[in-house]
Amino acid sequence: MAVEIQYVVVRKGEEKMTFASKKEADAYDKMLDMAEVFSEWLTTSPLALDEQQGEALGLYLAENKDALQHILRTGKMPEEPNAEEAESAEGDSKLRAV
């Protein structure tokens, strides 16, 4: 019998994601915190967004924070990684949706 340790990120009583390492779980939790802040910030904008749209946009911004920082810093779109690097990054991920 094998023993497997899993780290589960729970928000408002709902399991969001399960990870193999504490570091990955903490990073995901931090990203969700950032998404929540983005969503709250978007509610103060003059855009007509319903709650679900604001949450989706907040999550998108948090998930793409590196690209967002690059755009804010340089005023240019970041270069897209080539297909080989993207496949490698996907294969390295040790998370699964719950």
Side-chain angles (χ1 to χ4, degrees):
M1 177 183 199
V3 175
E4 191 174 307
I5 297 174
Q6 295 182 340
Y7 297 89
V8 180
V9 176
V10 178
R11 285 289 174 123
K12 298 178 184 173
E14 180 182 335
E15 288 186 15
K16 294 295 185 178
M17 192 78 77
T18 301
F19 297 89
S21 78
K22 183 174 182 350
K23 182 178 178 182
E24 290 173 327
D26 286 342
Y28 187 76
D29 190 49
K30 184 177 178 180
M31 190 265 310
L32 290 178
D33 287 339
M34 191 181 315
E36 191 173 313
V37 171
F38 277 133
S39 297
E40 289 175 19
W41 177 65
L42 288 167
T43 62
T44 65
S45 76
L47 302 173
L49 298 173
D50 64 31
E51 185 176 343
Q52 188 176 8
Q53 289 172 322
E55 288 176 1
L57 185 53
L59 185 59
Y60 177 79
L61 292 171
E63 288 173 340
N64 294 284
K65 73 177 179 92
D66 294 334
L68 181 60
Q69 288 174 339
H70 179 83
I71 292 167
L72 292 171
R73 194 173 48 251
T74 66
K76 297 179 183 177
M77 291 290 290
E79 293 182 22
E80 294 195 26
N82 62 36
E84 191 174 295
E85 289 175 354
E87 287 177 13
S88 174
E90 288 176 10
D92 292 343
S93 178
K94 294 180 181 178
L95 56 97
R96 68 177 172 89
V98 178

